[in-house]
Amino acid sequence: MRIGLLTGGGDCPGLNAAIRAVVKRGTSDLGCSIVGFNNGWRGVIDGDARPLTRDDVSGILVHGGTMLGTARCHPHKVDGGMEAVRDTFDNEKLDAFICIGGDGTLKAAGKVSKELGVPVIGIPKTIDNDVVGTDAAIGFDTAVSVATEAIDRLHSTAESHNRVMVVELMGRHSGWIAVTAGIAGGADIIIAPEEPFDIGQIVKRIKHRHRYKDFSIVAVAEGAVPAEGTKWKGGETLDAKGNPIAGSIGTEVTKAIEEATGFTSRLTTLGYVQRGGIPTAADRLLGTRMGFSAIDGIVAGETHKFTALQGEKIVLEPFETMMGKTKWVPEQLLHAARSL
Ligand code: F6P
């Protein structure tokens, strides 16, 4: 079989592990040819392809990012995009695609397989961890480790200066990184989009804590929003598409806390650091396992599915499981974040 392979959406650590697994398993064990497309669906539309061999993927396991490059491009949203994907599929004499991406890229993959009748298997990656149907997406574990280390480091400087340290973490729609790294790093206040916040309550909790401690750590997800009806004087934090403007909710929360408490407050916006660098062992393993499952599935004739970690197993789930949905942080974790 000839299989097209691409990575789309925001990059993250662990993508190369998945690419390597698809290429090694596909070429050595299953007799496949793997065609790599540069820059996600953009490369498929443009026919920007190259063959991938074992040699090409040798040594990439520990590298962050993606050797194929990536782009936020969805063929169904580009004029003539779907037709161009069909043309490339035919011109390259492909039998299937394996597409590694987050919710947008996988949704596009679902449309390609359904509307063009082309076999596609997806592999979920996103540091946001918000893909429904899988316990984890590639990249999340590394992002949580980076964020937890940042919170650890903020503790000593917060304590030395008696400051409130606000750290803004990625998480466009859901607050997986803020909640899990916040709990793991011992943040005093954790603010996630799942629970719109009341700045009055946050201020009250910080004032209470400062009766016996001189510093606080506040972890806020970039997608966090104030609850309706609460006294919030902060500025706009979302862009016209409803996506968070990086650094804005952190800035507003920091200002509001300082004004209301009188405690010196500082903001750290962790940003793209969470998406860069070497993958953790867990992400290398997840990428490898999902890569194997995707290529095995395609060769076995599976299509219109994505690889999903469910308990101890990697299974194949229909794209419909995740399309148009968001995996929210569950109440049990939110409860821990509130209570600690
Ligand atoms: O890939 C997920 C993510 O890192 C979000 O957490 C963040 O809001 C967004 O991507 C940033 O997007 P971009 O890379 O387009 O700036």
Side-chain angles (χ1 to χ4, degrees):
M1 286 178 87
R2 241 174 108 74
I3 294 155
L5 177 64
L6 59 131
T7 51
D11 77 325
C12 68
L15 291 172
N16 284 324
I19 294 170
R20 171 178 172 268
V22 169
V23 173
K24 285 199 168 183
R25 172 93 175 132
T27 56
S28 298
D29 299 342
L30 303 172
C32 299
S33 303
I34 309 294
V35 178
F37 286 95
N38 296 319
N39 306 320
W41 287 113
R42 180 79 262 161
V44 180
I45 290 171
D46 296 343
D48 184 6
R50 58 183 149 137
L52 292 177
T53 64
R54 276 186 79 92
D55 275 356
D56 293 321
V57 298
S58 174
I60 66 170
L61 178 66
V62 300
H63 295 168
T66 160
M67 69 165 289
L68 290 173
T70 186
R72 291 194 190 277
C73 169
H74 310 312
H76 58 285
K77 294 187 179 165
V78 174
D79 254 0
M82 293 299 262
E83 294 78 4
V85 169
R86 172 92 249 173
D87 289 347
T88 299
F89 188 80
D90 294 340
N91 294 341
E92 287 290 338
K93 300 190 172 23
L94 296 176
D95 297 296
F97 284 117
I98 292 178
C99 168
I100 311 172
D103 53 350
T105 307
L106 294 185
K107 189 174 169 190
K111 284 189 177 290
V112 165
S113 82
K114 197 163 190 178
E115 290 173 25
L116 301 182
V118 160
V120 185
I121 286 196
I123 298 180
K125 68 81 224 171
T126 167
I127 64 162
D128 288 0
N129 198 37
D130 55 359
V131 175
V132 173
T134 182
D135 296 350
I138 298 169
F140 173 61
D141 186 72
T142 309
V144 173
S145 299
V146 171
T148 303
E149 192 192 333
I151 295 173
D152 288 346
R153 288 177 182 277
L154 286 172
H155 265 92
S156 59
T157 173
E159 198 166 3
S160 304
H161 285 269
N162 300 342
R163 283 172 172 163
V164 175
M165 287 293 188
V166 178
V167 55
E168 185 189 289
L169 301 164
M170 278 187 163
R172 215 174 228 186
H173 306 297
S174 67
W176 282 94
I177 301 178
V179 170
T180 54
I183 293 172
D188 305 297
I189 309 268
I190 298 171
I191 313 174
E194 281 80 353
E195 290 189 316
F197 65 88
D198 177 345
I199 194 68
Q201 286 301 320
I202 290 170
V203 163
K204 218 160 130 189
R205 284 173 60 192
I206 292 176
K207 279 185 175 164
H208 178 76
R209 177 180 152 85
H210 284 232
R211 284 198 212 143
Y212 56 94
K213 285 271 185 194
D214 293 328
F215 75 96
S216 291
I217 306 284
V218 179
V220 56
E222 61 178 357
V225 286
E228 266 182 48
T230 54
K231 282 191 186 152
W232 173 248
K233 287 188 289 183
E236 190 48 73
T237 57
L238 303 177
D239 67 17
K241 286 188 182 162
N243 290 324
I245 303 162
S248 62
I249 192 67
T251 305
E252 300 297 336
V253 165
T254 309
K255 269 197 301 193
I257 291 173
E258 187 165 271
E259 264 169 42
T261 63
F263 304 136
T264 307
S265 305
R266 294 282 192 270
L267 169 67
T268 301
T269 302
L270 213 52
Y272 296 93
V273 168
Q274 294 158 97
R275 267 175 34 187
I278 61 169
T280 57
D283 274 329
R284 295 178 204 182
L285 203 55
L286 187 62
T288 302
R289 292 178 71 197
M290 286 190 168
F292 264 68
S293 167
I295 186 86
D296 284 353
I298 277 286
V299 169
E302 295 278 7
T303 181
H304 199 66
K305 290 182 176 169
F306 66 100
T307 60
L309 176 68
Q310 294 180 359
E312 290 182 354
K313 289 191 178 146
I314 305 286
V315 299
L316 294 175
E317 272 286 326
F319 276 127
E320 277 69 28
T321 303
M322 55 72 56
M323 282 167 84
K325 298 175 197 158
T326 302
K327 186 176 80 173
W328 304 111
V329 177
E331 172 51 32
Q332 212 175 32
L333 269 178
L334 292 172
H335 177 68
R338 273 194 304 270
S339 315
L340 289 166

